[in-house]
Amino acid sequence: MMTGRFRKSSITLILAAIMLPGSAINVLADTTGEDNIVERIVNESDGNVIIEIDPDLLEQILTDPDLGVRKKDTKDPNAKQNGYRIQVFSDGRNQSSLEARAKARGNAIVARFPKYRGQVYTFSSAPNWYTRIGNFRTEEEARKALDELKRSFPNFSSEMRVVKSKISVR
């Protein structure tokens, strides 16, 4: 198994050899730098690149080197599904401090409820800023959490509500 670091040019040549086996020799032979490898891949593949990986190599990629076992979760870590979040901040007034206030609200919740660490989503949809908490699969689950948050933060409980959202699946 290979370990260590590759230079960027080494990775480019390896990827070129994997993605374009028929023309890999030509790509590897072209060391003049005249052709941009990315442009060449796009032009030769018409924008569609299919990567074929040998099953043995794929197994090595999916195996945790420290444990010698296949990683359990090979799903996309960024996968989203329909679900619910708790909106704890939404405001479009006083533009100069909105982002800071939105983030502060999320930080206050995480300080009291560490279970939401990594589940605070602050974003802007002009002119408003929003902070939403959690990844709840069901509305009932989100409502229970909402009740808990409202009891803990009565000063802004009237702003809190359950909203439908794309949630992170873990």
Side-chain angles (χ1 to χ4, degrees), residues 19-20 36-49:
M19 292 192 292
L20 300 171
N36 178 326
I37 188 67
V38 174
E39 288 176 12
R40 190 161 181 194
I41 291 170
V42 170
N43 291 338
E44 291 182 21
S45 67
D46 196 29
N48 297 312
V49 177

Short mmCIF file of all heavy atoms in Angstrom, two decimals, residues 19-20 36-49:
data_model
loop_
_atom_site.label_atom_id
_atom_site.label_comp_id
_atom_site.label_asym_id
_atom_site.label_seq_id
_atom_site.Cartn_x
_atom_site.Cartn_y
_atom_site.Cartn_z
N MET A 19 -8.05 8.12 -15.76
CA MET A 19 -9.25 8.56 -16.45
C MET A 19 -9.20 8.36 -17.96
O MET A 19 -10.22 8.19 -18.58
CB MET A 19 -9.53 10.03 -16.12
CG MET A 19 -9.92 10.23 -14.68
SD MET A 19 -10.58 11.84 -14.30
CE MET A 19 -9.17 12.87 -14.52
N LEU A 20 -8.04 8.41 -18.54
CA LEU A 20 -7.94 8.30 -19.99
C LEU A 20 -6.95 7.22 -20.38
O LEU A 20 -5.89 7.51 -20.93
CB LEU A 20 -7.50 9.64 -20.59
CG LEU A 20 -8.43 10.81 -20.32
CD1 LEU A 20 -7.77 12.10 -20.76
CD2 LEU A 20 -9.74 10.62 -21.03
N ASN A 36 -3.06 22.11 -21.31
CA ASN A 36 -3.63 22.13 -19.97
C ASN A 36 -4.35 20.81 -19.79
O ASN A 36 -5.28 20.51 -20.53
CB ASN A 36 -4.58 23.32 -19.84
CG ASN A 36 -5.24 23.37 -18.49
OD1 ASN A 36 -5.54 22.35 -17.86
ND2 ASN A 36 -5.50 24.58 -18.04
N ILE A 37 -3.96 20.00 -18.81
CA ILE A 37 -4.51 18.66 -18.64
C ILE A 37 -6.01 18.69 -18.40
O ILE A 37 -6.74 17.85 -18.89
CB ILE A 37 -3.77 17.88 -17.52
CG1 ILE A 37 -4.21 16.42 -17.48
CG2 ILE A 37 -4.01 18.51 -16.17
CD1 ILE A 37 -3.81 15.63 -18.68
N VAL A 38 -6.50 19.67 -17.67
CA VAL A 38 -7.93 19.77 -17.40
C VAL A 38 -8.69 20.05 -18.69
O VAL A 38 -9.70 19.40 -18.98
CB VAL A 38 -8.22 20.84 -16.33
CG1 VAL A 38 -9.71 21.03 -16.14
CG2 VAL A 38 -7.55 20.49 -15.02
N GLU A 39 -8.20 20.99 -19.47
CA GLU A 39 -8.86 21.28 -20.76
C GLU A 39 -8.83 20.06 -21.66
O GLU A 39 -9.81 19.76 -22.35
CB GLU A 39 -8.16 22.45 -21.45
CG GLU A 39 -8.42 23.79 -20.80
CD GLU A 39 -7.64 24.92 -21.48
OE1 GLU A 39 -7.09 24.71 -22.58
OE2 GLU A 39 -7.59 26.00 -20.88
N ARG A 40 -7.72 19.35 -21.64
CA ARG A 40 -7.60 18.17 -22.49
C ARG A 40 -8.61 17.09 -22.08
O ARG A 40 -9.24 16.46 -22.94
CB ARG A 40 -6.17 17.64 -22.40
CG ARG A 40 -5.89 16.59 -23.41
CD ARG A 40 -4.41 16.43 -23.59
NE ARG A 40 -4.17 15.42 -24.58
CZ ARG A 40 -3.02 14.87 -24.79
NH1 ARG A 40 -1.98 15.26 -24.09
NH2 ARG A 40 -2.87 13.95 -25.70
N ILE A 41 -8.76 16.87 -20.78
CA ILE A 41 -9.73 15.87 -20.30
C ILE A 41 -11.14 16.28 -20.71
O ILE A 41 -11.91 15.47 -21.20
CB ILE A 41 -9.62 15.69 -18.77
CG1 ILE A 41 -8.30 15.00 -18.43
CG2 ILE A 41 -10.80 14.91 -18.23
CD1 ILE A 41 -7.99 14.98 -16.95
N VAL A 42 -11.48 17.55 -20.52
CA VAL A 42 -12.81 18.04 -20.89
C VAL A 42 -13.05 17.88 -22.38
O VAL A 42 -14.10 17.38 -22.81
CB VAL A 42 -13.01 19.51 -20.45
CG1 VAL A 42 -14.27 20.09 -21.02
CG2 VAL A 42 -13.02 19.60 -18.93
N ASN A 43 -12.08 18.26 -23.20
CA ASN A 43 -12.24 18.17 -24.65
C ASN A 43 -12.35 16.73 -25.13
O ASN A 43 -13.18 16.40 -25.97
CB ASN A 43 -11.08 18.87 -25.37
CG ASN A 43 -11.13 20.37 -25.18
OD1 ASN A 43 -12.18 20.95 -24.90
ND2 ASN A 43 -9.98 21.02 -25.32
N GLU A 44 -11.50 15.85 -24.62
CA GLU A 44 -11.49 14.47 -25.07
C GLU A 44 -12.66 13.66 -24.54
O GLU A 44 -13.03 12.64 -25.11
CB GLU A 44 -10.17 13.80 -24.71
CG GLU A 44 -9.00 14.35 -25.51
CD GLU A 44 -7.68 13.66 -25.21
OE1 GLU A 44 -7.71 12.52 -24.69
OE2 GLU A 44 -6.65 14.26 -25.50
N SER A 45 -13.25 14.09 -23.44
CA SER A 45 -14.35 13.32 -22.85
C SER A 45 -15.70 13.96 -23.11
O SER A 45 -16.71 13.44 -22.65
CB SER A 45 -14.14 13.19 -21.34
OG SER A 45 -14.26 14.46 -20.74
N ASP A 46 -15.71 15.08 -23.81
CA ASP A 46 -16.94 15.82 -24.08
C ASP A 46 -17.67 16.17 -22.78
O ASP A 46 -18.89 16.17 -22.71
CB ASP A 46 -17.85 15.01 -25.02
CG ASP A 46 -18.95 15.87 -25.62
OD1 ASP A 46 -18.74 17.09 -25.79
OD2 ASP A 46 -20.04 15.32 -25.90
N GLY A 47 -16.89 16.42 -21.71
CA GLY A 47 -17.46 16.83 -20.42
C GLY A 47 -17.93 15.68 -19.56
O GLY A 47 -18.35 15.87 -18.44
N ASN A 48 -17.87 14.44 -20.07
CA ASN A 48 -18.30 13.27 -19.30
C ASN A 48 -17.10 12.39 -19.02
O ASN A 48 -16.50 11.82 -19.93
CB ASN A 48 -19.34 12.46 -20.07
CG ASN A 48 -20.59 13.26 -20.30
OD1 ASN A 48 -21.12 13.87 -19.39
ND2 ASN A 48 -21.07 13.27 -21.53
N VAL A 49 -16.74 12.27 -17.76
CA VAL A 49 -15.59 11.46 -17.38
C VAL A 49 -16.09 10.27 -16.59
O VAL A 49 -16.82 10.43 -15.61
CB VAL A 49 -14.59 12.28 -16.53
CG1 VAL A 49 -13.44 11.41 -16.07
CG2 VAL A 49 -14.09 13.48 -17.31
#
